[in-house]
Amino acid sequence: MNKELSNMNNKELRQYLSEHRHDEEAFSQALEILLSRKKDLLKYPPPSQMDYQEIEAIFKASLNQE
């Protein structure tokens, strides 16, 4: 793994990906680093589309994980 890539912040990595999109090895390494930084977050609909019980359950589950 390229140490220079691991020292880049996410914005710099996205720029690097854009500039090296035709270099399969460089692109793959940068993408791997960028994706490894992404936390495994759940996607929820906007709160305006959820009822109170659903929102409360999400918060309770989140608090119990810590």
Side-chain angles (χ1 to χ4, degrees):
M1 192 81 39
N2 187 334
K3 287 193 178 224
E4 290 180 22
L5 291 176
S6 61
N7 291 330
M8 291 182 184
N9 63 35
N10 289 352
K11 183 177 180 179
E12 293 168 330
L13 278 171
R14 286 192 297 274
Q15 179 65 36
Y16 183 90
L17 286 169
S18 177
E19 293 169 359
H20 294 86
R21 64 182 169 266
H22 299 296
D23 181 344
E24 188 174 329
E25 186 176 340
F27 186 89
S28 178
Q29 287 179 353
L31 185 61
E32 184 178 337
I33 292 169
L34 189 61
L35 291 177
S36 73
R37 294 179 182 174
K38 184 176 180 175
K39 296 183 180 179
D40 189 23
L41 301 175
L42 297 174
K43 301 282 183 181
Y44 297 106
S48 61
Q49 295 179 0
M50 300 170 69
D51 62 25
Y52 177 80
Q53 290 78 17
E54 289 176 301
I55 295 170
E56 184 179 39
I58 291 167
F59 278 111
K60 285 181 178 179
S62 179
L63 290 172
N64 290 334
Q65 288 179 356
E66 295 177 4

Coordinates of all heavy atoms in Angstrom, one line a residue:
M1 N 0.8 -1.2 0.0 CA 0.0 0.0 0.0 C 0.9 1.2 0.0 O 1.9 1.3 0.7 CB -0.9 0.0 1.2 CG -2.0 0.9 1.2 SD -3.5 0.6 0.3 CE -3.8 -1.1 0.6
N2 N 0.5 2.2 -0.8 CA 1.3 3.4 -0.9 C 1.1 4.3 0.3 O 0.0 4.7 0.7 CB 0.8 4.2 -2.2 CG 1.6 5.4 -2.5 OD1 2.2 6.0 -1.7 ND2 1.5 5.7 -3.8
K3 N 2.3 4.6 1.0 CA 2.2 5.4 2.2 C 1.7 6.8 2.0 O 1.0 7.4 2.8 CB 3.5 5.4 2.9 CG 3.9 4.1 3.6 CD 5.1 4.3 4.5 CE 5.3 3.0 5.2 NZ 5.5 3.1 6.6
E4 N 2.0 7.4 0.8 CA 1.5 8.7 0.5 C 0.0 8.7 0.4 O -0.6 9.7 0.9 CB 2.1 9.2 -0.8 CG 3.6 9.5 -0.8 CD 4.1 9.9 -2.2 OE1 3.3 10.4 -3.0 OE2 5.3 9.8 -2.4
L5 N -0.6 7.7 -0.1 CA -2.1 7.6 -0.2 C -2.7 7.6 1.2 O -3.7 8.2 1.5 CB -2.5 6.4 -1.0 CG -2.2 6.4 -2.5 CD1 -2.7 5.1 -3.1 CD2 -3.0 7.6 -3.1
S6 N -2.1 6.8 2.1 CA -2.6 6.7 3.5 C -2.5 7.9 4.3 O -3.2 8.1 5.2 CB -2.0 5.5 4.2 OG -0.6 5.7 4.3
N7 N -1.6 8.9 3.8 CA -1.5 10.1 4.5 C -2.4 11.2 4.0 O -2.5 12.3 4.5 CB 0.0 10.6 4.4 CG 0.9 9.8 5.2 OD1 0.5 9.2 6.3 ND2 2.1 9.7 4.8
M8 N -3.1 10.9 2.9 CA -4.0 11.9 2.3 C -5.4 11.9 3.1 O -5.8 10.8 3.6 CB -4.3 11.5 0.8 CG -3.2 11.7 -0.1 SD -3.8 11.3 -1.8 CE -2.2 11.4 -2.7
N9 N -6.0 13.0 3.1 CA -7.3 13.1 3.7 C -8.3 12.6 2.6 O -8.0 12.4 1.5 CB -7.7 14.4 4.3 CG -7.7 15.5 3.2 OD1 -8.1 15.3 2.1 ND2 -7.3 16.7 3.6
N10 N -9.6 12.5 3.0 CA -10.6 11.9 2.1 C -10.8 12.8 0.8 O -11.0 12.3 -0.3 CB -11.9 11.8 2.8 CG -11.9 10.6 3.8 OD1 -10.9 9.9 3.8 ND2 -12.9 10.5 4.6
K11 N -10.7 14.1 1.0 CA -10.9 15.0 -0.1 C -9.7 14.8 -1.1 O -9.9 14.7 -2.3 CB -10.9 16.5 0.3 CG -11.2 17.5 -0.7 CD -11.3 18.9 -0.2 CE -11.5 19.9 -1.3 NZ -11.6 21.2 -0.8
E12 N -8.5 14.7 -0.6 CA -7.4 14.5 -1.5 C -7.4 13.1 -2.2 O -7.1 13.0 -3.3 CB -6.1 14.6 -0.6 CG -5.8 15.9 -0.1 CD -4.7 16.0 0.9 OE1 -4.5 15.0 1.7 OE2 -4.0 17.0 1.0
L13 N -7.9 12.1 -1.4 CA -8.1 10.8 -2.1 C -9.1 10.8 -3.2 O -8.9 10.2 -4.2 CB -8.5 9.7 -1.0 CG -7.4 9.2 -0.2 CD1 -7.9 8.3 1.0 CD2 -6.4 8.3 -1.0
R14 N -10.2 11.5 -3.0 CA -11.2 11.6 -4.1 C -10.6 12.3 -5.3 O -10.9 11.9 -6.4 CB -12.5 12.3 -3.6 CG -13.3 11.4 -2.6 CD -14.7 12.0 -2.4 NE -14.6 13.3 -1.7 CZ -14.5 13.5 -0.3 NH1 -14.5 12.4 0.4 NH2 -14.5 14.7 0.2
Q15 N -9.8 13.3 -5.1 CA -9.2 14.0 -6.2 C -8.2 13.1 -6.9 O -8.1 13.0 -8.1 CB -8.4 15.3 -5.6 CG -7.7 16.1 -6.7 CD -8.7 16.7 -7.7 OE1 -9.8 17.1 -7.4 NE2 -8.2 16.7 -9.0
Y16 N -7.4 12.3 -6.1 CA -6.5 11.4 -6.6 C -7.2 10.3 -7.5 O -6.8 10.0 -8.6 CB -5.7 10.7 -5.5 CG -4.7 9.7 -5.9 CD1 -3.4 10.1 -6.1 CD2 -5.0 8.4 -6.1 CE1 -2.4 9.2 -6.5 CE2 -4.0 7.5 -6.5 CZ -2.7 7.9 -6.7 OH -1.7 7.0 -7.1
L17 N -8.3 9.8 -7.0 CA -9.1 8.9 -7.7 C -9.6 9.5 -9.1 O -9.5 8.8 -10.1 CB -10.4 8.4 -6.9 CG -10.1 7.5 -5.8 CD1 -11.4 7.4 -4.9 CD2 -9.7 6.1 -6.3
S18 N -10.0 10.7 -9.0 CA -10.4 11.4 -10.3 C -9.3 11.5 -11.3 O -9.4 11.2 -12.5 CB -11.0 12.7 -9.9 OG -11.3 13.4 -11.1
E19 N -8.1 11.8 -10.8 CA -6.9 12.0 -11.6 C -6.3 10.7 -12.1 O -5.7 10.7 -13.2 CB -5.9 12.8 -10.9 CG -6.3 14.2 -10.6 CD -5.3 14.9 -9.6 OE1 -4.3 14.3 -9.2 OE2 -5.6 16.1 -9.3
H20 N -6.5 9.6 -11.4 CA -5.9 8.3 -11.8 C -7.0 7.3 -12.1 O -6.7 6.1 -12.0 CB -5.1 7.8 -10.6 CG -3.9 8.7 -10.4 ND1 -3.9 9.8 -9.6 CD2 -2.6 8.6 -10.8 CE1 -2.8 10.4 -9.5 NE2 -1.9 9.7 -10.3
R21 N -8.1 7.7 -12.6 CA -9.2 6.7 -12.9 C -8.8 5.7 -14.0 O -9.5 4.7 -14.1 CB -10.5 7.5 -13.3 CG -10.4 8.3 -14.5 CD -11.7 9.0 -14.7 NE -11.6 10.0 -15.7 CZ -11.4 11.3 -15.5 NH1 -11.2 11.7 -14.3 NH2 -11.3 12.2 -16.5
H22 N -7.8 6.0 -14.8 CA -7.4 5.0 -15.9 C -6.2 4.2 -15.4 O -5.8 3.3 -16.2 CB -7.1 5.8 -17.1 CG -8.3 6.6 -17.7 ND1 -9.4 6.0 -18.1 CD2 -8.5 7.9 -17.8 CE1 -10.3 6.9 -18.5 NE2 -9.7 8.1 -18.3
D23 N -5.7 4.4 -14.3 CA -4.6 3.6 -13.7 C -5.2 2.6 -12.7 O -5.4 3.0 -11.6 CB -3.5 4.5 -13.1 CG -2.3 3.7 -12.5 OD1 -2.4 2.5 -12.3 OD2 -1.3 4.4 -12.2
E24 N -5.4 1.4 -13.2 CA -6.2 0.4 -12.4 C -5.5 0.2 -11.0 O -6.2 0.2 -10.0 CB -6.3 -0.9 -13.1 CG -7.2 -1.8 -12.4 CD -7.5 -3.1 -13.3 OE1 -7.5 -3.0 -14.5 OE2 -7.7 -4.1 -12.6
E25 N -4.2 0.0 -10.9 CA -3.6 -0.2 -9.7 C -3.6 0.9 -8.7 O -4.0 0.8 -7.5 CB -2.1 -0.6 -9.9 CG -1.4 -1.1 -8.6 CD 0.0 -1.5 -8.9 OE1 0.4 -1.9 -10.0 OE2 0.8 -1.6 -7.9
A26 N -3.3 2.1 -9.2 CA -3.4 3.3 -8.3 C -4.8 3.6 -7.9 O -5.0 3.9 -6.7 CB -2.8 4.5 -9.1
F27 N -5.7 3.5 -8.8 CA -7.1 3.7 -8.4 C -7.6 2.7 -7.4 O -8.2 3.1 -6.4 CB -8.0 3.6 -9.7 CG -9.5 3.9 -9.5 CD1 -9.9 5.2 -9.6 CD2 -10.4 3.0 -9.1 CE1 -11.2 5.6 -9.5 CE2 -11.7 3.3 -8.9 CZ -12.1 4.6 -9.1
S28 N -7.3 1.4 -7.6 CA -7.7 0.4 -6.6 C -7.1 0.6 -5.2 O -7.8 0.5 -4.2 CB -7.2 -1.0 -7.2 OG -7.5 -2.0 -6.3
Q29 N -5.8 1.0 -5.2 CA -5.2 1.3 -3.9 C -5.9 2.5 -3.2 O -6.2 2.4 -2.0 CB -3.7 1.6 -4.0 CG -2.9 0.4 -4.3 CD -1.4 0.7 -4.5 OE1 -1.0 1.8 -4.5 NE2 -0.6 -0.3 -4.7
A30 N -6.1 3.5 -3.9 CA -6.7 4.7 -3.3 C -8.2 4.4 -2.8 O -8.6 4.8 -1.8 CB -6.7 5.9 -4.3
L31 N -8.9 3.7 -3.7 CA -10.3 3.4 -3.3 C -10.3 2.5 -2.1 O -11.2 2.7 -1.2 CB -11.0 2.7 -4.5 CG -12.4 2.4 -4.4 CD1 -13.2 3.6 -4.1 CD2 -12.9 1.6 -5.6
E32 N -9.4 1.5 -2.0 CA -9.4 0.7 -0.8 C -9.2 1.5 0.4 O -9.8 1.2 1.4 CB -8.3 -0.4 -1.0 CG -8.2 -1.4 0.1 CD -7.1 -2.4 -0.1 OE1 -6.7 -2.6 -1.2 OE2 -6.7 -3.0 0.9
I33 N -8.3 2.4 0.4 CA -8.0 3.3 1.6 C -9.3 4.1 1.9 O -9.7 4.2 3.1 CB -6.8 4.2 1.4 CG1 -5.6 3.3 1.3 CG2 -6.7 5.2 2.5 CD1 -4.3 4.1 0.8
L34 N -9.9 4.7 0.9 CA -11.0 5.5 1.1 C -12.2 4.7 1.7 O -12.8 5.1 2.7 CB -11.5 6.2 -0.2 CG -12.5 7.3 -0.1 CD1 -12.1 8.4 0.8 CD2 -12.9 7.8 -1.5
L35 N -12.4 3.6 1.1 CA -13.5 2.7 1.6 C -13.3 2.2 3.0 O -14.2 2.0 3.8 CB -13.8 1.6 0.7 CG -14.4 2.0 -0.7 CD1 -14.6 0.8 -1.6 CD2 -15.7 2.7 -0.5
S36 N -12.0 1.9 3.4 CA -11.7 1.4 4.7 C -12.0 2.4 5.8 O -12.2 2.1 6.9 CB -10.2 1.0 4.8 OG -9.4 2.1 4.8
R37 N -12.0 3.7 5.4 CA -12.3 4.8 6.4 C -13.8 5.0 6.6 O -14.2 5.5 7.6 CB -11.7 6.1 5.9 CG -10.2 6.1 5.8 CD -9.7 7.4 5.3 NE -8.2 7.3 5.2 CZ -7.5 8.3 4.6 NH1 -8.1 9.4 4.2 NH2 -6.2 8.2 4.6
K38 N -14.6 4.5 5.7 CA -16.0 4.6 5.8 C -16.5 3.7 6.9 O -16.3 2.5 6.8 CB -16.7 4.3 4.5 CG -18.1 4.6 4.5 CD -18.7 4.4 3.2 CE -20.2 4.6 3.3 NZ -20.9 4.6 2.0
K39 N -17.2 4.2 7.8 CA -17.8 3.4 8.9 C -19.0 2.7 8.3 O -19.7 3.2 7.5 CB -18.2 4.2 10.1 CG -16.9 4.8 10.7 CD -17.3 5.6 12.0 CE -16.0 6.1 12.6 NZ -16.2 6.9 13.7
D40 N -19.3 1.5 8.9 CA -20.5 0.8 8.5 C -21.7 1.4 9.1 O -22.2 0.9 10.2 CB -20.3 -0.7 8.9 CG -21.4 -1.6 8.3 OD1 -21.9 -1.2 7.2 OD2 -21.6 -2.7 8.8
L41 N -22.3 2.4 8.5 CA -23.4 3.1 9.1 C -24.7 2.6 8.4 O -24.7 2.3 7.2 CB -23.3 4.6 8.8 CG -22.0 5.2 9.4 CD1 -22.0 6.7 9.0 CD2 -22.0 5.1 10.9
L42 N -25.7 2.5 9.2 CA -27.0 2.2 8.7 C -27.7 3.4 8.0 O -27.5 4.5 8.5 CB -27.9 1.7 9.8 CG -27.5 0.4 10.5 CD1 -28.4 0.1 11.7 CD2 -27.5 -0.8 9.5
K43 N -28.4 3.2 7.0 CA -29.1 4.3 6.3 C -30.5 4.3 6.8 O -31.2 3.3 6.8 CB -29.0 4.1 4.8 CG -27.7 4.0 4.2 CD -27.1 5.4 4.1 CE -25.7 5.3 3.5 NZ -25.0 6.5 3.4
Y44 N -31.0 5.5 7.2 CA -32.4 5.6 7.7 C -33.1 6.6 6.8 O -32.4 7.6 6.3 CB -32.4 6.1 9.1 CG -31.8 5.1 10.1 CD1 -30.6 5.3 10.6 CD2 -32.5 3.9 10.4 CE1 -30.0 4.4 11.5 CE2 -31.9 3.0 11.3 CZ -30.7 3.3 11.9 OH -30.1 2.4 12.7
P45 N -34.4 6.5 6.7 CA -35.1 7.6 6.0 C -35.1 8.9 6.8 O -34.7 8.9 8.0 CB -36.5 7.0 5.9 CG -36.6 6.0 7.0 CD -35.2 5.5 7.2
P46 N -35.4 10.0 6.2 CA -35.5 11.2 7.0 C -36.4 11.1 8.1 O -37.5 10.5 8.0 CB -36.0 12.3 6.0 CG -36.0 11.6 4.6 CD -35.8 10.2 4.8
P47 N -36.1 11.8 9.3 CA -37.0 11.7 10.4 C -38.4 12.1 10.1 O -39.3 11.6 10.8 CB -36.3 12.6 11.5 CG -34.9 12.7 11.1 CD -34.9 12.5 9.6
S48 N -38.6 13.0 9.2 CA -40.0 13.4 8.9 C -40.8 12.3 8.3 O -42.0 12.4 8.3 CB -39.9 14.6 7.9 OG -39.3 14.2 6.7
Q49 N -40.2 11.2 7.8 CA -40.9 10.1 7.3 C -41.0 8.9 8.3 O -41.5 7.9 7.9 CB -40.2 9.6 6.0 CG -40.2 10.6 4.9 CD -39.5 10.1 3.6 OE1 -39.0 9.0 3.6 NE2 -39.5 10.9 2.6
M50 N -40.6 9.2 9.5 CA -40.6 8.1 10.5 C -41.5 8.5 11.7 O -41.6 9.7 11.9 CB -39.2 7.9 11.0 CG -38.2 7.4 10.0 SD -36.5 7.4 10.6 CE -36.5 6.1 11.7
D51 N -42.1 7.5 12.3 CA -42.9 7.9 13.5 C -42.0 7.9 14.7 O -40.8 7.5 14.7 CB -44.1 7.0 13.6 CG -43.7 5.5 13.9 OD1 -42.6 5.3 14.4 OD2 -44.6 4.7 13.6
Y52 N -42.5 8.4 15.8 CA -41.7 8.6 17.0 C -41.1 7.3 17.5 O -40.0 7.3 18.0 CB -42.6 9.3 18.1 CG -41.9 9.4 19.4 CD1 -41.1 10.5 19.6 CD2 -42.1 8.5 20.4 CE1 -40.4 10.7 20.8 CE2 -41.5 8.7 21.7 CZ -40.6 9.7 21.8 OH -40.0 9.9 23.0
Q53 N -41.9 6.2 17.5 CA -41.4 5.0 18.0 C -40.2 4.4 17.2 O -39.3 3.9 17.8 CB -42.6 3.9 18.0 CG -43.7 4.1 19.0 CD -44.7 5.2 18.5 OE1 -44.7 5.6 17.4 NE2 -45.4 5.7 19.5
E54 N -40.2 4.6 15.9 CA -39.1 4.2 15.1 C -37.8 5.0 15.5 O -36.7 4.4 15.6 CB -39.4 4.4 13.6 CG -40.4 3.4 13.0 CD -40.7 3.8 11.6 OE1 -41.1 4.9 11.3 OE2 -40.5 2.9 10.7
I55 N -38.0 6.3 15.6 CA -36.8 7.1 16.0 C -36.3 6.8 17.3 O -35.1 6.6 17.5 CB -37.2 8.6 15.9 CG1 -37.6 9.0 14.4 CG2 -36.1 9.5 16.4 CD1 -38.2 10.4 14.3
E56 N -37.2 6.6 18.3 CA -36.8 6.2 19.6 C -36.1 4.9 19.6 O -35.0 4.7 20.3 CB -38.1 6.1 20.5 CG -37.7 5.8 22.0 CD -39.0 5.7 22.8 OE1 -40.0 5.2 22.3 OE2 -38.9 6.2 24.0
A57 N -36.5 3.9 18.8 CA -35.9 2.6 18.8 C -34.4 2.7 18.2 O -33.5 2.1 18.7 CB -36.7 1.6 17.9
I58 N -34.3 3.6 17.2 CA -32.9 3.8 16.6 C -32.0 4.4 17.7 O -30.8 3.9 17.8 CB -33.0 4.7 15.4 CG1 -33.7 4.0 14.3 CG2 -31.6 5.2 15.0 CD1 -34.2 4.9 13.1
F59 N -32.5 5.4 18.4 CA -31.6 6.0 19.4 C -31.3 5.0 20.6 O -30.1 4.9 21.0 CB -32.3 7.2 20.0 CG -32.1 8.5 19.2 CD1 -33.2 9.0 18.6 CD2 -30.9 9.1 19.1 CE1 -33.0 10.2 17.8 CE2 -30.7 10.2 18.3 CZ -31.8 10.8 17.7
K60 N -32.2 4.2 21.0 CA -32.0 3.2 22.0 C -31.0 2.2 21.6 O -30.1 1.8 22.3 CB -33.3 2.6 22.5 CG -34.2 3.5 23.3 CD -35.4 2.7 23.8 CE -36.3 3.6 24.7 NZ -37.5 3.0 25.1
A61 N -31.1 1.7 20.3 CA -30.2 0.7 19.8 C -28.8 1.3 19.7 O -27.8 0.7 20.0 CB -30.6 0.3 18.4
S62 N -28.7 2.6 19.3 CA -27.4 3.2 19.2 C -26.7 3.4 20.6 O -25.5 3.2 20.7 CB -27.6 4.6 18.5 OG -26.4 5.3 18.4
L63 N -27.5 3.8 21.5 CA -27.0 4.0 22.9 C -26.5 2.6 23.5 O -25.6 2.6 24.3 CB -28.0 4.6 23.8 CG -28.3 6.1 23.5 CD1 -29.5 6.6 24.3 CD2 -27.1 6.9 23.7
N64 N -27.2 1.6 23.2 CA -26.8 0.2 23.7 C -25.6 -0.3 23.1 O -25.0 -1.2 23.6 CB -28.0 -0.7 23.6 CG -29.2 -0.4 24.5 OD1 -29.0 0.2 25.5 ND2 -30.3 -0.8 24.1
Q65 N -25.2 0.2 21.9 CA -24.0 -0.3 21.3 C -22.7 0.2 21.9 O -21.7 -0.4 21.8 CB -24.0 0.0 19.8 CG -25.0 -0.7 19.0 CD -25.0 -0.3 17.5 OE1 -24.3 0.6 17.1 NE2 -25.8 -1.0 16.7
E66 N -22.8 1.3 22.5 CA -21.5 1.9 23.1 C -21.2 1.4 24.4 O -21.7 0.7 25.1 CB -21.7 3.4 23.2 CG -21.9 4.1 21.8 CD -22.1 5.6 21.9 OE1 -22.1 6.1 23.0 OE2 -22.3 6.2 20.9

